Amino acid sequence: MFLKKTVNIWLPILVILVLVGATFINLRLASTFQHEDDFAPRWTAAREWMQTGASPYSDSTHQKTLDLLKSDGNEPAELSQGRFYDPAWYVLVYLPISFVPYPIARAIWMTLVELSIVLSAFLSIRLANLRMSLPETLVISLLALIFYPLFKSILMSSVNLPYLFLTLLAVYLARERQGTMAGLLFALSVWMVPISLFLVIFFMIWLGARRDNSLTKIFLSTQAFFVIVSLILFPGWAADWFAVILKLFATFSQLRTPLMVVGQMFPGASAQIAIALSLILFIMMLVEWYGIGQREGRAFQWKLMLTLNLLYFFNLASEGFYLILLLAPLFSVFKYCIEKWRVSGRIISWITYLAVIFIYWRRFQITQNWLPEESSLVILLLPTLTMIGLQWFRWWATVSPKALIDSINS
């Protein structure tokens, strides 16, 4: 009883202590596991601009990043080669943390990545409408930290995971018809998670059919605001940014979608297979979107989960952190299992979740892969599993009267 009455006091203190403890652990991890570092270019860009006014895209800023990585024993990320290549307004995101010495700043960012993973897993449970007890929810969310691709992203100080969390939060808010806040979050994350633009269009259609244009208005106006502020604070940034993009992606050799990975299994026609699969899945997504404005409840929920599943196949680099988008579709499959079979469905769900984590860890132990480029098993296993699960339960999720009755009763 005393704990319930004082929860507003001890819970925030406990959270702060956990985050501080995690930061100290990350400080040790960062010095022990030295691999690619995705955070250094952002920290250096913010610090150099604040202290010297140097452009985030300048060669001097790039050299400062390389020097920092060398002194810290890390390597530049393969994709960025140590360059800052985000739109200029993202420098402002890293300004507060740029006041802190780099080792501490990186440990803090790693803690933010861990928090993003746990919250993304928790949010995915809410998105899937999966009913779990509080202890089960906490265990599922914390287990996401040891999911190998996400754990590797922590050690590499991935900058994308916090934006993926914002994307999932925007999806949740848009589904709850909070278009204004969803539009703002989509605007913050869309340049870091380009495939989220399809989610923006998806919800523009769905909310627009309900005469709610708040998401569209705030998304477009926020983008315009970012551009104007950037032109004021970083004169000429657009040309510098475009030059860096051309330098890094001149040959498109970094382009490696999951569908291109499928194509590589057939070397004689890899490009043709990748293009054909991309067209098939894109057309499939558009067909599923047809009439989405009139969808509600379980039918809309299933379409949303399928959209998240399909969008994963279009991410441009097949990096492991994108797998976090598949947690909500996976938990949706668990929800249908539990609805259909109650106790045995819950057991199947737990076994499947633990088995996926185990299989991915075993794959890592075999390959010892610390590179961003993942193997085909890591890239394709989970999306294939969720796609099969969603299609298996399609009728149950969208048509079955019994499922609707069970949903109302529970």
Side-chain angles (χ1 to χ4, degrees), residues 132 135-136 138-149 327 330-331 334 345-363 381-382 385:
M132 288 283 185
E136 286 179 308
L138 290 175
V139 171
I140 288 175
S141 300
L142 292 174
L143 281 175
L145 289 172
I146 61 170
F147 184 47
Y148 144 64
L327 290 181
L330 179 66
F331 295 155
F334 293 169
R346 189 175 293 271
I347 294 172
I348 292 171
S349 299
W350 271 105
I351 291 175
T352 302
Y353 188 58
L354 295 174
V356 167
I357 293 175
F358 175 76
I359 291 170
Y360 273 78
W361 265 111
R362 285 296 299 164
R363 184 61 183 174
L381 175 61
L382 186 56
L385 179 66

Side-chain angles (χ1 to χ4, degrees), residues 2 6 11-12 22 122 141 157 167 183 192 206 230 245 252 268 276-277 284 288 292 295 310 353 373 379-380 385:
F2 175 76
T6 59
L11 184 59
F122 175 79
S141 300
S157 309
T167 299
M192 300 299 293
W206 187 69
S230 299
I245 293 295
F252 297 101
L277 288 175
M284 177 182 176
E288 295 292 349
I292 194 65
R295 297 288 183 177
L310 292 175
Y353 188 58
E373 185 171 302
I379 294 169
L380 298 174
L385 179 66

Side-chain angles (χ1 to χ4, degrees), residues 122-130 167-183 186 199 202-204 206-207 210 212 215 295-305 308 328 332 335-336:
F122 175 79
L123 196 59
S124 295
I125 294 173
R126 299 291 298 274
L127 274 170
N129 292 328
L130 176 62
T167 299
L168 290 173
L169 182 57
V171 169
Y172 177 78
L173 292 172
R175 191 191 67 174
E176 300 300 312
R177 302 190 188 184
Q178 299 181 37
T180 300
M181 195 62 196
F186 274 131
L199 292 170
F202 178 88
F203 281 108
M204 282 181 176
W206 187 69
L207 291 173
R210 286 148 185 78
D212 181 357
L215 188 149
R295 297 288 183 177
E296 292 282 358
R298 290 172 65 90
F300 172 76
Q301 175 73 11
W302 186 89
K303 298 275 187 181
L304 175 58
M305 294 300 105
L308 287 173
S332 291
K335 167 186 164 62
Y336 302 138

